[in-house]
Amino acid sequence: MPEALLEAVALSRRFGGLVAVDAVDFSVRAGAIHGLIGPNGAGKTTLLNLIAAALPASGGALRFRGEDITRWGPARRARAGIRRTFQNLKLFSEMTALQNASLGLHAGTRAGIFAALASTPGQRREEREIAHGARRALEFVGLAAQADVVAAKLPYGHRRLLEIARAIAAQPALLLLDEPAAGLNHTEAANLAGLIGRIQALGITVVLVEHHMDVVMTVCDTITVLDYGRKLAQGTPEEIQRSPEVIEAYLGSAHALA
């Protein structure tokens, strides 16, 4: 079995008297696609925010590649190889697709602000490398022809792909996807499932928060189910679909996981 890339130990997040994530233990195997599912309000996005350091943990620990990263900020985690997308798109609408994708590579640049202002050879070389990496990411998600189109003019499905391109441009070790199929039609969702599989084939580990069960059950190796902030179940897609506790959490309907 591949070793765990990410491990959460009794990870918790409280908002006043509300416990949004309640002492959750789970691990993500290197190279896996690991789904996080649960009813609305189960704590899925909050848990993703804890992994990305968008929120500090109220308790517990988080380890990445065996190292305790609980107190690391988002920039340090990004540099270490953790990247994410957002449930609500966070693109720069007046920037082109290429410019948006390029932003995913700036966290790893070496040239400082003075080098940029002086336009030194090193800085110009980095900018060429960034542009090349961004174009490669756009091509990977199928947006090469839209590189010079401003994000605001892209169809919604393409904007979803652009956010993924920005996240994978730096070739992260761990990619956090927050409801990437939200708002997509059936064909777009099926294409997204194929894209996530190709991302895994690059050697990138994926944590996927998603309500679109066709996507989850198609691409995930392991699924963790949250309910009221607690881990309810974990297993393969087949095991999760047969779990009485999971079916009950989804309003008692077996069709909820079909």
Side-chain angles (χ1 to χ4, degrees), residues 96-98 134-150 154-155 158:
T96 66
L98 180 63
R135 287 188 185 279
R136 186 172 55 203
L138 290 176
E139 182 177 5
F140 186 84
V141 303
L143 293 180
Q146 288 76 33
D148 297 321
V149 179
V150 296
L154 291 172
H158 284 181

PDB file of all heavy atoms in Angstrom, residues 96-98 134-150 154-155 158:
ATOM      1  N   THR A  96      -6.610  37.491 -18.861  1.00  0.00           N
ATOM      2  CA  THR A  96      -6.793  36.401 -19.807  1.00  0.00           C
ATOM      3  C   THR A  96      -6.653  35.047 -19.105  1.00  0.00           C
ATOM      4  O   THR A  96      -6.165  34.954 -17.975  1.00  0.00           O
ATOM      5  CB  THR A  96      -5.759  36.475 -20.935  1.00  0.00           C
ATOM      6  OG1 THR A  96      -4.461  36.238 -20.387  1.00  0.00           O
ATOM      7  CG2 THR A  96      -5.798  37.825 -21.636  1.00  0.00           C
ATOM      8  N   ALA A  97      -7.059  34.014 -19.821  1.00  0.00           N
ATOM      9  CA  ALA A  97      -6.902  32.668 -19.293  1.00  0.00           C
ATOM     10  C   ALA A  97      -5.427  32.373 -18.999  1.00  0.00           C
ATOM     11  O   ALA A  97      -5.089  31.794 -17.968  1.00  0.00           O
ATOM     12  CB  ALA A  97      -7.460  31.647 -20.282  1.00  0.00           C
ATOM     13  N   LEU A  98      -4.546  32.800 -19.904  1.00  0.00           N
ATOM     14  CA  LEU A  98      -3.118  32.580 -19.702  1.00  0.00           C
ATOM     15  C   LEU A  98      -2.611  33.308 -18.462  1.00  0.00           C
ATOM     16  O   LEU A  98      -1.843  32.750 -17.671  1.00  0.00           O
ATOM     17  CB  LEU A  98      -2.334  33.044 -20.937  1.00  0.00           C
ATOM     18  CG  LEU A  98      -0.814  32.873 -20.863  1.00  0.00           C
ATOM     19  CD1 LEU A  98      -0.439  31.406 -20.742  1.00  0.00           C
ATOM     20  CD2 LEU A  98      -0.150  33.501 -22.083  1.00  0.00           C
ATOM     21  N   ALA A 134       2.151  27.772 -17.825  1.00  0.00           N
ATOM     22  CA  ALA A 134       0.729  28.123 -17.863  1.00  0.00           C
ATOM     23  C   ALA A 134       0.079  27.614 -19.150  1.00  0.00           C
ATOM     24  O   ALA A 134      -1.037  27.089 -19.136  1.00  0.00           O
ATOM     25  CB  ALA A 134       0.556  29.628 -17.728  1.00  0.00           C
ATOM     26  N   ARG A 135       0.775  27.766 -20.277  1.00  0.00           N
ATOM     27  CA  ARG A 135       0.233  27.275 -21.548  1.00  0.00           C
ATOM     28  C   ARG A 135       0.090  25.749 -21.528  1.00  0.00           C
ATOM     29  O   ARG A 135      -0.875  25.189 -22.055  1.00  0.00           O
ATOM     30  CB  ARG A 135       1.127  27.705 -22.712  1.00  0.00           C
ATOM     31  CG  ARG A 135       1.026  29.179 -23.045  1.00  0.00           C
ATOM     32  CD  ARG A 135       1.760  29.541 -24.316  1.00  0.00           C
ATOM     33  NE  ARG A 135       1.737  30.962 -24.548  1.00  0.00           N
ATOM     34  CZ  ARG A 135       0.720  31.628 -25.088  1.00  0.00           C
ATOM     35  NH1 ARG A 135      -0.364  30.954 -25.468  1.00  0.00           N
ATOM     36  NH2 ARG A 135       0.785  32.933 -25.264  1.00  0.00           N
ATOM     37  N   ARG A 136       1.056  25.088 -20.903  1.00  0.00           N
ATOM     38  CA  ARG A 136       0.991  23.635 -20.806  1.00  0.00           C
ATOM     39  C   ARG A 136      -0.216  23.206 -19.974  1.00  0.00           C
ATOM     40  O   ARG A 136      -0.909  22.231 -20.314  1.00  0.00           O
ATOM     41  CB  ARG A 136       2.288  23.128 -20.177  1.00  0.00           C
ATOM     42  CG  ARG A 136       2.433  21.614 -20.151  1.00  0.00           C
ATOM     43  CD  ARG A 136       3.831  21.245 -19.681  1.00  0.00           C
ATOM     44  NE  ARG A 136       4.109  21.872 -18.390  1.00  0.00           N
ATOM     45  CZ  ARG A 136       5.327  22.110 -17.938  1.00  0.00           C
ATOM     46  NH1 ARG A 136       6.385  21.825 -18.671  1.00  0.00           N
ATOM     47  NH2 ARG A 136       5.498  22.652 -16.742  1.00  0.00           N
ATOM     48  N   ALA A 137      -0.497  23.928 -18.885  1.00  0.00           N
ATOM     49  CA  ALA A 137      -1.664  23.613 -18.046  1.00  0.00           C
ATOM     50  C   ALA A 137      -2.966  23.865 -18.801  1.00  0.00           C
ATOM     51  O   ALA A 137      -3.908  23.066 -18.708  1.00  0.00           O
ATOM     52  CB  ALA A 137      -1.627  24.442 -16.764  1.00  0.00           C
ATOM     53  N   LEU A 138      -3.027  24.959 -19.554  1.00  0.00           N
ATOM     54  CA  LEU A 138      -4.227  25.245 -20.343  1.00  0.00           C
ATOM     55  C   LEU A 138      -4.460  24.164 -21.392  1.00  0.00           C
ATOM     56  O   LEU A 138      -5.591  23.725 -21.622  1.00  0.00           O
ATOM     57  CB  LEU A 138      -4.102  26.611 -21.019  1.00  0.00           C
ATOM     58  CG  LEU A 138      -4.161  27.835 -20.106  1.00  0.00           C
ATOM     59  CD1 LEU A 138      -3.921  29.104 -20.916  1.00  0.00           C
ATOM     60  CD2 LEU A 138      -5.502  27.929 -19.378  1.00  0.00           C
ATOM     61  N   GLU A 139      -3.380  23.737 -22.026  1.00  0.00           N
ATOM     62  CA  GLU A 139      -3.512  22.673 -23.020  1.00  0.00           C
ATOM     63  C   GLU A 139      -4.008  21.390 -22.370  1.00  0.00           C
ATOM     64  O   GLU A 139      -4.850  20.676 -22.921  1.00  0.00           O
ATOM     65  CB  GLU A 139      -2.164  22.435 -23.704  1.00  0.00           C
ATOM     66  CG  GLU A 139      -2.204  21.371 -24.790  1.00  0.00           C
ATOM     67  CD  GLU A 139      -0.873  21.203 -25.500  1.00  0.00           C
ATOM     68  OE1 GLU A 139       0.111  21.842 -25.090  1.00  0.00           O
ATOM     69  OE2 GLU A 139      -0.821  20.408 -26.464  1.00  0.00           O
ATOM     70  N   PHE A 140      -3.523  21.096 -21.178  1.00  0.00           N
ATOM     71  CA  PHE A 140      -3.900  19.868 -20.486  1.00  0.00           C
ATOM     72  C   PHE A 140      -5.402  19.818 -20.205  1.00  0.00           C
ATOM     73  O   PHE A 140      -6.022  18.757 -20.320  1.00  0.00           O
ATOM     74  CB  PHE A 140      -3.116  19.759 -19.180  1.00  0.00           C
ATOM     75  CG  PHE A 140      -3.322  18.449 -18.465  1.00  0.00           C
ATOM     76  CD1 PHE A 140      -2.585  17.328 -18.814  1.00  0.00           C
ATOM     77  CD2 PHE A 140      -4.243  18.339 -17.438  1.00  0.00           C
ATOM     78  CE1 PHE A 140      -2.776  16.116 -18.156  1.00  0.00           C
ATOM     79  CE2 PHE A 140      -4.442  17.135 -16.774  1.00  0.00           C
ATOM     80  CZ  PHE A 140      -3.708  16.018 -17.141  1.00  0.00           C
ATOM     81  N   VAL A 141      -5.989  20.963 -19.820  1.00  0.00           N
ATOM     82  CA  VAL A 141      -7.426  20.973 -19.502  1.00  0.00           C
ATOM     83  C   VAL A 141      -8.292  21.266 -20.717  1.00  0.00           C
ATOM     84  O   VAL A 141      -9.518  21.302 -20.616  1.00  0.00           O
ATOM     85  CB  VAL A 141      -7.745  21.978 -18.372  1.00  0.00           C
ATOM     86  CG1 VAL A 141      -6.943  21.668 -17.123  1.00  0.00           C
ATOM     87  CG2 VAL A 141      -7.536  23.423 -18.827  1.00  0.00           C
ATOM     88  N   GLY A 142      -7.668  21.501 -21.878  1.00  0.00           N
ATOM     89  CA  GLY A 142      -8.429  21.733 -23.097  1.00  0.00           C
ATOM     90  C   GLY A 142      -8.744  23.178 -23.406  1.00  0.00           C
ATOM     91  O   GLY A 142      -9.677  23.467 -24.157  1.00  0.00           O
ATOM     92  N   LEU A 143      -7.957  24.097 -22.850  1.00  0.00           N
ATOM     93  CA  LEU A 143      -8.222  25.525 -23.057  1.00  0.00           C
ATOM     94  C   LEU A 143      -7.099  26.236 -23.818  1.00  0.00           C
ATOM     95  O   LEU A 143      -7.006  27.463 -23.758  1.00  0.00           O
ATOM     96  CB  LEU A 143      -8.430  26.229 -21.709  1.00  0.00           C
ATOM     97  CG  LEU A 143      -9.675  25.854 -20.913  1.00  0.00           C
ATOM     98  CD1 LEU A 143      -9.723  26.650 -19.609  1.00  0.00           C
ATOM     99  CD2 LEU A 143     -10.949  26.100 -21.729  1.00  0.00           C
ATOM    100  N   ALA A 144      -6.280  25.499 -24.548  1.00  0.00           N
ATOM    101  CA  ALA A 144      -5.164  26.126 -25.257  1.00  0.00           C
ATOM    102  C   ALA A 144      -5.651  27.208 -26.218  1.00  0.00           C
ATOM    103  O   ALA A 144      -5.033  28.272 -26.338  1.00  0.00           O
ATOM    104  CB  ALA A 144      -4.356  25.066 -26.009  1.00  0.00           C
ATOM    105  N   ALA A 145      -6.761  26.967 -26.889  1.00  0.00           N
ATOM    106  CA  ALA A 145      -7.268  27.928 -27.878  1.00  0.00           C
ATOM    107  C   ALA A 145      -7.843  29.177 -27.225  1.00  0.00           C
ATOM    108  O   ALA A 145      -8.035  30.196 -27.904  1.00  0.00           O
ATOM    109  CB  ALA A 145      -8.329  27.266 -28.754  1.00  0.00           C
ATOM    110  N   GLN A 146      -8.120  29.114 -25.909  1.00  0.00           N
ATOM    111  CA  GLN A 146      -8.706  30.253 -25.199  1.00  0.00           C
ATOM    112  C   GLN A 146      -7.670  31.013 -24.376  1.00  0.00           C
ATOM    113  O   GLN A 146      -8.024  31.824 -23.516  1.00  0.00           O
ATOM    114  CB  GLN A 146      -9.832  29.774 -24.280  1.00  0.00           C
ATOM    115  CG  GLN A 146     -11.099  29.334 -24.995  1.00  0.00           C
ATOM    116  CD  GLN A 146     -10.964  27.968 -25.639  1.00  0.00           C
ATOM    117  OE1 GLN A 146     -10.272  27.098 -25.140  1.00  0.00           O
ATOM    118  NE2 GLN A 146     -11.635  27.791 -26.769  1.00  0.00           N
ATOM    119  N   ALA A 147      -6.390  30.792 -24.614  1.00  0.00           N
ATOM    120  CA  ALA A 147      -5.336  31.382 -23.783  1.00  0.00           C
ATOM    121  C   ALA A 147      -5.424  32.895 -23.697  1.00  0.00           C
ATOM    122  O   ALA A 147      -5.160  33.485 -22.648  1.00  0.00           O
ATOM    123  CB  ALA A 147      -3.959  30.971 -24.312  1.00  0.00           C
ATOM    124  N   ASP A 148      -5.804  33.549 -24.784  1.00  0.00           N
ATOM    125  CA  ASP A 148      -5.816  35.012 -24.816  1.00  0.00           C
ATOM    126  C   ASP A 148      -7.205  35.610 -24.606  1.00  0.00           C
ATOM    127  O   ASP A 148      -7.397  36.815 -24.779  1.00  0.00           O
ATOM    128  CB  ASP A 148      -5.232  35.498 -26.145  1.00  0.00           C
ATOM    129  CG  ASP A 148      -3.776  35.104 -26.318  1.00  0.00           C
ATOM    130  OD1 ASP A 148      -3.034  35.158 -25.317  1.00  0.00           O
ATOM    131  OD2 ASP A 148      -3.391  34.713 -27.429  1.00  0.00           O
ATOM    132  N   VAL A 149      -8.164  34.783 -24.210  1.00  0.00           N
ATOM    133  CA  VAL A 149      -9.523  35.255 -23.933  1.00  0.00           C
ATOM    134  C   VAL A 149      -9.615  35.663 -22.472  1.00  0.00           C
ATOM    135  O   VAL A 149      -9.143  34.931 -21.588  1.00  0.00           O
ATOM    136  CB  VAL A 149     -10.563  34.159 -24.248  1.00  0.00           C
ATOM    137  CG1 VAL A 149     -11.980  34.644 -23.924  1.00  0.00           C
ATOM    138  CG2 VAL A 149     -10.456  33.724 -25.705  1.00  0.00           C
ATOM    139  N   VAL A 150     -10.212  36.816 -22.189  1.00  0.00           N
ATOM    140  CA  VAL A 150     -10.356  37.225 -20.793  1.00  0.00           C
ATOM    141  C   VAL A 150     -11.348  36.296 -20.102  1.00  0.00           C
ATOM    142  O   VAL A 150     -12.302  35.796 -20.710  1.00  0.00           O
ATOM    143  CB  VAL A 150     -10.803  38.695 -20.650  1.00  0.00           C
ATOM    144  CG1 VAL A 150      -9.748  39.644 -21.213  1.00  0.00           C
ATOM    145  CG2 VAL A 150     -12.143  38.915 -21.306  1.00  0.00           C
ATOM    146  N   LEU A 154     -15.338  33.764 -20.945  1.00  0.00           N
ATOM    147  CA  LEU A 154     -15.351  32.312 -21.085  1.00  0.00           C
ATOM    148  C   LEU A 154     -16.683  31.747 -20.599  1.00  0.00           C
ATOM    149  O   LEU A 154     -17.257  32.235 -19.624  1.00  0.00           O
ATOM    150  CB  LEU A 154     -14.225  31.682 -20.269  1.00  0.00           C
ATOM    151  CG  LEU A 154     -12.791  31.926 -20.746  1.00  0.00           C
ATOM    152  CD1 LEU A 154     -11.808  31.388 -19.708  1.00  0.00           C
ATOM    153  CD2 LEU A 154     -12.544  31.277 -22.097  1.00  0.00           C
ATOM    154  N   PRO A 155     -17.189  30.695 -21.239  1.00  0.00           N
ATOM    155  CA  PRO A 155     -18.375  30.023 -20.719  1.00  0.00           C
ATOM    156  C   PRO A 155     -18.091  29.476 -19.321  1.00  0.00           C
ATOM    157  O   PRO A 155     -16.938  29.219 -18.954  1.00  0.00           O
ATOM    158  CB  PRO A 155     -18.603  28.879 -21.719  1.00  0.00           C
ATOM    159  CG  PRO A 155     -17.858  29.263 -22.950  1.00  0.00           C
ATOM    160  CD  PRO A 155     -16.693  30.089 -22.495  1.00  0.00           C
ATOM    161  N   HIS A 158     -15.874  26.451 -18.956  1.00  0.00           N
ATOM    162  CA  HIS A 158     -14.472  26.748 -19.233  1.00  0.00           C
ATOM    163  C   HIS A 158     -13.818  27.466 -18.052  1.00  0.00           C
ATOM    164  O   HIS A 158     -12.622  27.262 -17.786  1.00  0.00           O
ATOM    165  CB  HIS A 158     -14.344  27.591 -20.502  1.00  0.00           C
ATOM    166  CG  HIS A 158     -14.545  26.802 -21.753  1.00  0.00           C
ATOM    167  ND1 HIS A 158     -14.456  27.363 -23.018  1.00  0.00           N
ATOM    168  CD2 HIS A 158     -14.831  25.484 -21.952  1.00  0.00           C
ATOM    169  CE1 HIS A 158     -14.667  26.436 -23.922  1.00  0.00           C
ATOM    170  NE2 HIS A 158     -14.910  25.289 -23.304  1.00  0.00           N
TER     171      HIS A 158
END
